[in-house]
Amino acid sequence: MKGGDEAPGAARVRLDKWLWAARFFKTRALATAAVDGGKVQVNAQRVKPARAVHVGETLTIRRGTEEFVIVVRALSEQRGPAREAQQLYEETEDSRRKREEAREQRRLLAGSAPSPARRPNKQDRRRIIRFTRQEH
């Protein structure tokens, strides 16, 4: 057994493998890249993908514009159905509220910026190029 601080018989699960099993990332490679990039923190500390996850630890996961703050409730190395994956963690109420508020703000901002009626055609693109070259 690796590491002397673990209890005998305790399961050891890598962080990247747990994130994949909990369905935060589609592949282990994406989970590893996120951890290496500082998008995942354990107890507010930057960690490595091979770090062991323990029940009760707090993870902060940034995925795109969303940020999850979760508490690990169970360990698993196998990726299962979404219902089983949701049993592995519990999201904090504050985190859930912040994500919903951010989602609502994005929805409201998206409605204020009208989308163009159509894509620019060749003539429109030439006008855009001419216009941008005049500014320089």
Side-chain angles (χ1 to χ4, degrees):
M1 179 177 283
K2 296 178 184 175
D5 59 350
E6 294 180 23
R12 178 171 156 71
V13 180
R14 289 174 52 114
L15 177 60
D16 58 349
K17 194 176 265 194
W18 187 89
L19 289 167
W20 168 75
R23 294 182 164 267
F24 280 101
F25 298 97
K26 272 191 166 187
T27 64
R28 269 189 66 191
L30 289 174
T32 302
V35 176
D36 281 336
K39 306 283 189 217
V40 179
Q41 296 180 341
V42 178
N43 297 326
Q45 302 263 324
R46 192 169 175 165
V47 294
K48 294 184 178 180
R51 183 193 185 281
V53 178
H54 303 286
V55 174
E57 289 184 319
T58 302
L59 286 106
T60 304
I61 304 164
R62 282 191 309 275
R63 203 175 55 181
T65 58
E66 294 183 311
E67 182 173 305
F68 298 86
V69 178
I70 62 166
V71 178
V72 177
R73 293 291 173 216
L75 302 177
S76 177
E77 287 189 344
Q78 294 181 341
R79 187 176 172 103
R83 287 187 188 266
E84 288 179 20
Q86 289 172 349
Q87 303 302 314
L88 298 177
Y89 62 91
E90 180 182 334
E91 185 174 9
T92 63
E93 191 59 40
D94 189 43
S95 169
R96 187 176 289 119
R97 183 182 45 77
K98 284 181 182 178
R99 280 191 316 109
E100 288 171 0
E101 287 174 1
R103 186 180 304 134
E104 184 65 20
Q105 280 186 341
R106 284 193 306 272
R107 188 184 67 80
L108 292 173
L109 287 175
S112 65
S115 59
R118 60 179 170 79
R119 292 179 57 190
N121 58 21
K122 190 171 187 175
Q123 185 179 15
D124 294 334
R125 286 193 303 273
R126 286 181 178 162
R127 287 182 187 152
I128 292 168
I129 291 169
R130 244 182 281 134
F131 179 75
T132 56
R133 285 187 182 159
Q134 285 178 354
E135 291 179 1
H136 293 323

